[in-house]
Amino acid sequence: MASAENRDSSASGRGAPLLKPVFSLALVPQNSKITALGRRTWNVLLHIAQNQGLEHETFRAALTDIVKGLDYNSGDMKIIKTHLRSMITTLVEWQSPTAGEWQTWDVCGMLSHARLTKERGQIWVEWSYAVNMRNELLDPEIFAKLSLEVISQLGSHPAVALYEICSRYLGVGQTARKPWTWWRPVLLGRPDDERLQRLEYRIFKRDTLKPALAEINAVADIEIEMLEFKAGRFVSDLQFTVRKKPQRVLSLQQRSATEPVDVALLAGAERLGIDAARIERLIDEFGEAAVATALEAVEKRAASAFPEPLRDPLRYLKSVLPGHLAAQEEALEKAAPVKEAEIAPIAPSDRLVQWEKKWLSARIEALVAEVAALPPDQQAELVLGLQEDLRLRKAHPAVIQRLAGKGWTHPMVRHEMVSYYAQGAYGPDWNKPTDKQLLEVAASPT
């Protein structure tokens, strides 16, 4: 348990971890949903406010210190306005994940007020906290030390919330044991209403718990394991063991603890005509990494107009997301924690080859999912086009026969269809990763 007496002496510095009060770890919204991006933004605001100190009634920072990825002279600004408005209007019941640790009951908004002003060409944000929570938020007696660097790499609200709670118990080794229904609204960031209460445990485990566990164990600085307790034949309670990773996975994307939250994904979606709120819901369902790669595919598909112009970007995004999610989950499952003794030196050239292979494997699976998501008539057109292409290239007759008889998913033909479709949709460099994409692969666990 961390307390005021054992704070790090650097806690007031810009590079210090976020000291998050225990009662703000297991937030239960009462009237609307909390998104992963909203929670991360609130964490950044709290970190800035703690650094500015209790002597301030209100807090102030440049918008560029809070979020990045916006065109500040365009309609993108409505994204930050939406999130600030949500933090004020979302009523939250504050509770600690440990019974009896927080002795009072409080409910209020995540923020009390917010204001945007433009001064000398720069946009500033001003905000404050409810009077009943202000002192404990800014100068908590019992808190968890959180890495905003790690939180910035977690793509879903369940992963962020579970990481925050488990970090609180790092010194203890395990979280409190709670009914699984307690974890349901806390991890999903949704009011525990009648609709949520109908959610079965097996669905909650499949769609929420397992992806969050995989994501945390892949990218965070801790390792967690879920323990299930049964009452008769059914799971009644959950608990998580927590331990520090022997060594952090190599990351070439070093982030400052105070780096602003990246909202470029939402801004890019809006420029495609997809509402930011829809994207946030998809992020909560599929995770940020899968949505990011799928949205990139939508952008390229819209630019190529192959095999026909893209009429509904949102519908196309939803159709390709499952394939991108599957590729992401496969990468996470392969990302087992590596003990320091098991790490062998690898030549830089060998690392580059490994990263390129890993990127291309995920790229191919995503393209297969894209083709599979096309309507049957468009798939039929692609098959006819591929048949003609194979004849012109004088491909082996057996390949053409398999395409005609077994379809493009046959193992002998699948790679031909991927290449044919990708070159038409994305151009000749479809299979060449950019430096940024290689850095993302390098920063992910191997």
Side-chain angles (χ1 to χ4, degrees):
M1 179 192 312
S3 64
E5 289 74 26
N6 63 6
R7 296 181 192 207
D8 191 295
S9 60
S10 66
S12 61
R14 282 186 62 81
L18 170 65
L19 307 183
K20 194 162 185 181
V22 293
F23 61 79
S24 65
L25 298 176
L27 298 178
V28 178
Q30 303 301 298
N31 59 341
S32 61
K33 184 177 176 60
I34 301 174
T35 65
L37 185 64
R39 188 170 183 134
R40 290 202 300 262
T41 304
W42 189 81
N43 283 343
V44 170
L45 291 174
L46 181 59
H47 190 270
I48 293 172
Q50 287 179 348
N51 288 337
Q52 293 185 5
L54 263 173
E55 61 271 20
H56 295 274
E57 293 292 332
T58 62
F59 306 91
R60 196 166 180 267
L63 182 57
T64 52
D65 289 337
I66 298 169
V67 296
K68 65 179 179 179
L70 291 180
D71 178 355
Y72 296 104
N73 296 313
S74 76
D76 287 356
M77 284 301 298
K78 73 178 184 179
I79 294 173
I80 189 62
K81 290 178 181 178
T82 297
H83 281 88
L84 290 172
R85 189 181 299 113
S86 177
M87 289 181 217
I88 294 169
T89 59
T90 300
L91 290 177
V92 171
E93 182 176 310
W94 308 80
Q95 60 174 337
S96 170
T98 299
E101 195 169 49
W102 182 245
Q103 300 298 330
T104 62
W105 179 84
D106 283 279
V107 62
C108 62
M110 299 173 74
L111 295 181
S112 181
H113 97 284
R115 173 183 294 167
L116 293 176
T117 58
K118 191 170 186 178
E119 302 173 18
R120 295 186 294 277
Q122 189 172 31
I123 299 171
W124 291 79
V125 183
E126 177 188 290
W127 71 96
S128 63
Y129 300 98
V131 64
N132 60 325
M133 306 302 296
R134 179 177 172 277
N135 283 10
E136 275 300 322
L137 283 171
L138 301 179
D139 188 25
E141 293 184 3
I142 308 174
F143 54 84
K145 283 186 179 181
L146 301 178
S147 166
L148 292 183
E149 175 192 354
V150 170
I151 291 174
S152 72
Q153 298 181 65
L154 296 172
S156 66
H157 186 277
V160 174
L162 186 57
Y163 169 75
E164 291 185 6
I165 293 172
C166 288
S167 294
R168 157 75 181 85
Y169 295 95
L170 182 58
V172 179
Q174 60 184 24
T175 68
R177 174 175 165 176
K178 294 281 190 180
W180 78 264
T181 52
W182 180 91
W183 295 94
R184 185 174 54 195
V186 168
L187 297 190
L188 289 171
R190 289 169 48 186
D192 195 23
D193 53 21
E194 182 179 350
R195 180 183 175 188
L196 187 59
Q197 290 169 6
R198 291 198 297 268
L199 179 64
E200 299 178 17
Y201 175 72
R202 62 183 181 85
I203 305 299
F204 179 57
K205 179 179 179 179
R206 183 195 68 192
D207 295 345
T208 302
L209 294 171
K210 292 182 72 175
L213 281 162
E215 193 174 351
I216 292 169
N217 287 333
V219 306
D221 51 354
I222 60 174
E223 296 173 5
I224 64 175
E225 182 181 353
M226 184 173 69
L227 305 177
E228 297 176 316
F229 300 88
K230 291 187 175 182
R233 296 187 298 113
F234 301 101
V235 172
S236 59
D237 295 354
L238 295 177
Q239 188 175 32
F240 296 86
T241 62
V242 192
R243 60 183 177 272
K244 191 79 173 176
K245 275 186 180 173
Q247 178 170 317
R248 280 295 307 275
V249 174
L250 171 68
S251 174
L252 299 185
Q253 293 178 302
Q254 296 296 329
R255 293 178 171 90
S256 161
T258 53
E259 181 163 338
V261 175
D262 194 346
V263 298
L265 194 63
L266 301 189
E270 289 228 328
R271 286 190 281 272
L272 277 170
I274 304 175
D275 185 69
R278 293 284 190 96
I279 291 295
E280 290 212 64
R281 286 197 289 271
L282 292 174
I283 288 173
D284 283 336
E285 182 178 354
F286 294 94
E288 189 171 291
V291 173
T293 57
L295 195 59
E296 181 182 351
V298 175
E299 291 174 348
K300 292 180 178 178
R301 171 69 179 81
S304 73
F306 176 85
E308 65 177 12
L310 182 62
R311 296 184 177 87
D312 189 340
L314 177 59
R315 183 178 178 183
Y316 184 75
L317 175 64
K318 289 180 177 179
S319 69
V320 301
L321 259 173
H324 287 264
L325 175 62
Q328 178 69 14
E329 288 178 341
E330 182 180 356
L332 289 174
E333 287 174 1
K334 293 178 179 178
V338 180
K339 295 182 179 179
E340 187 170 359
E342 297 173 349
I343 298 176
I346 302 175
S349 59
D350 292 339
R351 284 201 186 99
L352 186 61
V353 170
Q354 290 177 6
W355 297 339
E356 288 176 341
K357 287 181 177 178
K358 184 176 180 181
W359 177 87
L360 185 57
S361 176
R363 174 73 164 150
I364 289 171
E365 292 307 314
L367 288 167
V368 169
E370 284 186 35
V371 177
L374 293 173
D377 58 333
Q378 290 186 32
Q379 289 191 43
E381 289 179 17
L382 285 172
V383 168
L384 291 175
L386 177 56
Q387 285 177 334
E388 181 62 22
D389 181 70
L390 291 172
R391 291 191 184 96
L392 291 174
R393 290 192 287 114
K394 295 182 170 57
H396 196 285
V399 177
I400 300 175
Q401 290 171 6
R402 292 295 187 282
L403 176 60
K406 301 292 186 179
W408 68 267
T409 57
H410 189 277
M412 190 181 291
V413 184
R414 186 173 179 264
H415 68 285
E416 294 283 2
M417 175 57 83
V418 167
S419 179
Y420 175 73
Y421 170 77
Q423 289 193 52
Y426 302 112
D429 293 334
W430 69 270
N431 57 352
K432 297 176 183 177
T434 64
D435 290 344
K436 179 182 177 183
Q437 289 167 333
L438 283 180
L439 284 175
E440 290 172 351
V441 173
S444 68
T446 55

